[in-house]
């Protein structure tokens, strides 16, 4: 497992997010193919009309589909990008790596959590980026206690923290022992942010356990 920080223009949606810098993007569990990568992602906090106009005019995008409007200020999309080697997507493809999480929220960088099949693949990825001028910062490299489980369930660290905190506080009991606002205060985040993390986390868990239809997976 490795966590990297990349400049905004080194990863996907660079042109789109330059046009709409306030949009918060969360991509989960993406396997890069040789020709293109098709992730599902949540967008929130920005001007959706401007975002969708920009994304449809982005020359790196093959197709975009709005799968559903979320509650409040978020929407769920499927987008297909075409890799243009040598770039970050082709580096991931060469290393046979899986993006477990990619978050872009401050306009200047992407934070990626990547699962590599082995140490050699991580080294090859590092060398590919260095040799082709792909800028990056390494934040953390570690052996996950259960990487197969992380890849299987697709729950981000933030979602896992929220779900575990809610479970331990008996939020899921009937009647509940804690309110959403109280739980959000304990975690130091907004009520809306906690609601989104719980909803997405439960969606990911269900889509990989009880629901086996591929179209529900993100």
């Amino acid at each position: 497992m490795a966590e990297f920080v990349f400049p905004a223009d080194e990863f996907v949606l660079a042109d789109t997010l330059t046009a709409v810098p306030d949009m918060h993007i969360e991509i989960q569990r993406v396997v890069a193919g040789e020709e293109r990568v098709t992730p599902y992602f949540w967008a929130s906090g920005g001007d959706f009309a401007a975002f969708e106009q920009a994304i449809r005019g982005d020359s790196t995008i093959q197709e975009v589909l709005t799968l559903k409007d979320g509650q409040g200020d978020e929407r769920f999309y499927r987008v297909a990008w075409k890799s243009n080697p040598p770039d970050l997507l082709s580096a991931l493809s060469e290393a046979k790596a899986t993006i477990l999480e990619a978050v872009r929220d401050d306009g200047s960088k992407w934070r990626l959590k990547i699962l590599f099949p082995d140490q050699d693949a991580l080294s090859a990825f590092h060398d590919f980026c260095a040799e082709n001028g792909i800028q990056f910062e390494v934040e953390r490299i570690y052996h996950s206690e259960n990487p197969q489980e992380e890849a299987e369930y697709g729950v981000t660290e933030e979602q896992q923290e929220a779900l575990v905190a809610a479970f331990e506080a008996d939020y899921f009991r009937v009647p509940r022992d804690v309110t959403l606002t109280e739980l959000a205060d304990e975690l130091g985040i907004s009520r809306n942010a906690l609601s989104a993390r719980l909803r997405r986390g439960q969606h990911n868990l269900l889509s990989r356990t009880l629901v086996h239809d591929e179209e529900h997976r993100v």
Side-chain angles (χ1 to χ4, degrees), residues 13-215:
L13 289 175
D15 294 340
T16 299
L17 292 172
T18 296
V20 191
D22 293 334
M23 192 66 72
H24 174 87
I25 304 293
E26 291 187 22
I27 303 173
Q28 298 169 10
R29 203 173 192 275
V30 178
V31 180
E34 294 182 0
E35 294 297 326
R36 71 179 194 176
V37 55
T38 306
Y40 296 80
F41 68 88
W42 287 97
S44 62
D47 183 335
F48 285 107
F51 177 73
E52 293 181 0
Q53 180 178 1
I55 203 171
R56 289 187 169 89
D58 195 317
S59 61
T60 65
I61 293 174
Q62 292 185 334
E63 59 185 16
V64 57
L65 178 64
T66 304
L67 297 182
K68 64 180 177 180
D69 292 344
Q71 297 180 3
D73 66 342
E74 61 182 5
R75 292 183 185 177
F76 190 47
Y77 296 91
R78 183 181 71 198
V79 174
W81 288 289
K82 185 174 178 62
S83 180
N84 185 27
D87 60 8
L88 183 54
L89 292 180
S90 57
L92 292 165
S93 180
E94 288 284 336
K96 295 180 172 57
T98 298
I99 299 173
L100 297 183
E101 178 182 354
V103 177
R104 186 271 194 193
D105 59 6
D106 69 354
S108 64
K109 61 197 173 196
W110 280 95
R111 294 184 180 276
L112 271 66
K113 182 178 180 181
I114 304 172
L115 174 64
F116 293 90
D118 52 42
Q119 182 66 41
D120 289 342
L122 172 58
S123 297
F125 175 80
H126 181 282
D127 293 345
F128 184 102
C129 290
E131 291 169 2
N132 289 281
I134 300 173
Q135 301 179 51
F136 62 92
E137 296 177 17
V138 180
E139 286 204 322
R140 187 181 175 203
I141 297 176
Y142 57 99
H143 290 283
S144 174
E145 293 182 359
N146 197 341
Q148 181 177 358
E149 182 175 287
E150 289 195 43
E152 180 180 359
Y153 296 126
V155 177
T156 69
E157 289 184 6
E158 290 181 341
Q159 291 165 5
Q160 179 177 344
E161 178 188 32
L163 288 167
V164 171
F167 179 83
E168 292 180 344
D170 289 334
Y171 174 76
F172 299 115
R173 283 185 179 274
V174 179
R176 290 172 174 165
D177 288 351
V178 64
T179 68
L180 189 65
T181 299
E182 291 170 340
L183 187 58
D185 289 342
E186 290 181 11
L187 293 174
I189 60 177
S190 70
R191 186 180 186 279
N192 287 340
L194 176 58
S195 176
R197 290 179 191 180
L198 289 175
R199 186 167 59 254
R200 295 175 194 172
Q202 291 175 80
H203 178 278
N204 290 342
L205 286 172
L206 289 170
S207 68
R208 288 170 170 82
T209 54
L210 299 180
V211 180
H212 301 291
D213 188 342
E214 288 292 331
E215 72 179 49

